[in-house]
Amino acid sequence: QVQLVESGGGLVQPGGSLRLSCAASGLPLVYYTIGWFRQAPGKEREGVSCIRNGDGSTYYTDSVKGRFTISRDNAKNTVYLQMNSLKPEDTAVYYCAADLVCRDNRPPHHASYWGQGTQVTVSS
């Protein structure tokens, strides 16, 4: 059974940082492209970032470029999203996903596996 479990969300002040983790079981992440999505209240879910298997190349949506960093630890079967300089508009439920389409010119999409999500709230 495949499980993706996110952790690391919480309440942070604007300008602060959080690191999200996504631990996988039943799925060796080394073989899959992995990504992070988010969904804010009243908005559609959007792809934030992804990292490809193989060459480890990455994609970031424009609104998070220079602030967020995606990484993976294949030995721990875990993917991370380091979020710095957080803004109130980053407030959302963040989901990790695996086995998805990750291109250079558009956000990640068409994921096969999803975590349950973790809440990130940026507020003073």
Side-chain angles (χ1 to χ4, degrees):
Q1 183 180 358
V2 175
Q3 276 194 314
L4 301 175
V5 180
E6 302 96 334
S7 60
L11 173 64
V12 63
Q13 292 187 342
S17 298
L18 284 174
R19 188 177 82 154
L20 305 183
S21 299
C22 175
S25 59
L27 190 74
L29 294 182
V30 65
Y31 298 121
Y32 293 91
T33 293
I34 312 161
W36 288 92
F37 296 72
R38 66 186 180 186
Q39 187 167 20
K43 295 187 176 181
E44 293 187 355
R45 185 169 57 195
E46 66 167 336
V48 175
S49 178
C50 50
I51 182 167
R52 300 178 186 89
N53 61 331
D55 66 0
S57 55
T58 57
Y59 166 92
Y60 299 93
T61 195
D62 285 346
S63 61
V64 308
K65 281 181 182 176
R67 301 188 298 121
F68 290 11
T69 303
I70 190 171
S71 62
R72 62 198 299 165
D73 185 332
N74 291 331
K76 294 183 178 180
N77 216 30
T78 299
V79 62
Y80 304 97
L81 187 67
Q82 177 68 44
M83 306 187 296
N84 299 328
S85 302
L86 283 161
K87 305 175 180 180
E89 51 264 42
D90 295 318
T91 295
V93 178
Y94 283 72
Y95 301 88
C96 72
D99 191 21
L100 51 88
V101 178
C102 182
R103 303 280 188 243
D104 290 333
N105 59 352
R106 62 174 295 189
H109 56 284
H110 287 150
S112 299
Y113 305 101
W114 292 89
Q116 83 289 348
T118 185
Q119 177 70 48
V120 171
T121 303
V122 185
S123 175
S124 54

